[in-house]
Amino acid sequence: MTKQEQVKAIFIEEAGEIIEKLDVDIIRFEENSTDFDLLNEIFRGVHTLKGNANAFGFTRLGEFVHHFEDVLDYYRNTKETVEPQYLSLMVDSVEVIKDVMTCELDALPYLPEDYESCLEHIIELLALKKDGGVAIPHGEAVSAIMDLASEFAISDEEGEEDVVTAAIARMQEVRTEGLSLFRIEMLLDTDCYKRGFDHLLFIKLLAQKAKSIESFFELQGVGTLGEFETDVNVIKKVTVIALSDETSSE
């Protein structure tokens, strides 16, 4: 057995233990949905599973748990009561995770029957919460998220520096005493997903330290849908402009 195979075997064993614990914890949480310490435990398991799944190319599992992690993160941060229908969705999501793991291990070309519908409901839930409770008709949330690229990408007609400079100018207008303005550039490798790096999570964590934040994705290298590979990153650079009362070292 090669070193890579040994590491993968360790991951499979750990993933099995995580999923087994998730199966127990989610039922306990269903019985006591105010136990946010338990919700934090579930979140940590899902977060670990996501990073490991992406590192070993189990992208279908990684994609699903990525969105499920966002749902868990929302409720654990807001301490909002989980509505009964969304509690059922969480239980169903753990079932899908178990089934997807089986598909990944057996290298099956298909996904569990409930994968797409469960993922769509998760995305709808996230959109609903972020929109402050405005209901989104079933089936529209996914297409709405897909269209964000046209809103936030830097177009061919615009230079990168033009849009970044405009963002800096907007930040300067609202900047008050005690606030610092930061420009952060992330240069991304093509294999960053395989190594478990999530630049969106980085921006999300950074936003918690910022009073205002804008991000700009360089999408010139993005090809057609037919060329798309889930485990290959084609976004070479992300520029973030952040206004914060934190110091540079912090």
Side-chain angles (χ1 to χ4, degrees), residues 71-133:
V71 168
L72 298 172
D73 195 36
Y74 172 83
Y75 281 106
R76 77 189 190 103
N77 284 326
T78 63
K79 299 295 192 293
E80 184 179 315
T81 300
V82 184
E83 301 87 335
Q85 67 271 31
Y86 299 139
L87 197 54
S88 297
L89 177 60
M90 289 183 181
V91 176
D92 292 342
S93 296
V94 173
E95 286 297 318
V96 170
I97 288 172
K98 290 193 295 183
D99 293 340
V100 175
M101 185 65 182
T102 299
C103 291
E104 297 282 33
L105 292 178
D106 295 341
L108 300 177
Y110 55 83
L111 285 165
E113 184 177 344
D114 296 337
Y115 180 95
E116 293 294 344
S117 62
C118 194
L119 180 58
E120 186 171 321
H121 281 99
I122 287 172
I123 294 173
E124 286 178 357
L125 169 56
L126 287 168
L128 177 66
K129 294 300 181 181
K130 290 179 180 178
D131 286 345

Side-chain angles (χ1 to χ4, degrees), residues 19 22 43 45-54 58-72 93-94 96-98 100 115 119 122:
I19 292 173
L22 283 177
F43 172 83
V46 170
H47 178 71
T48 302
L49 188 62
K50 180 192 72 172
N52 290 345
N54 288 331
F58 291 168
T59 53
R60 298 177 298 178
L61 178 61
E63 170 73 6
F64 187 89
V65 295
H66 168 76
H67 292 290
F68 185 42
E69 177 191 42
D70 285 343
V71 168
L72 298 172
S93 296
V94 173
V96 170
I97 288 172
K98 290 193 295 183
V100 175
Y115 180 95
L119 180 58
I122 287 172

Side-chain angles (χ1 to χ4, degrees), residues 13 41 60 72 86 98 113 130 145 165 176 181 197 207:
E13 182 179 355
E41 278 291 309
R60 298 177 298 178
L72 298 172
Y86 299 139
K98 290 193 295 183
E113 184 177 344
K130 290 179 180 178
I145 290 175
T165 299
T176 58
L181 190 58
F197 180 76

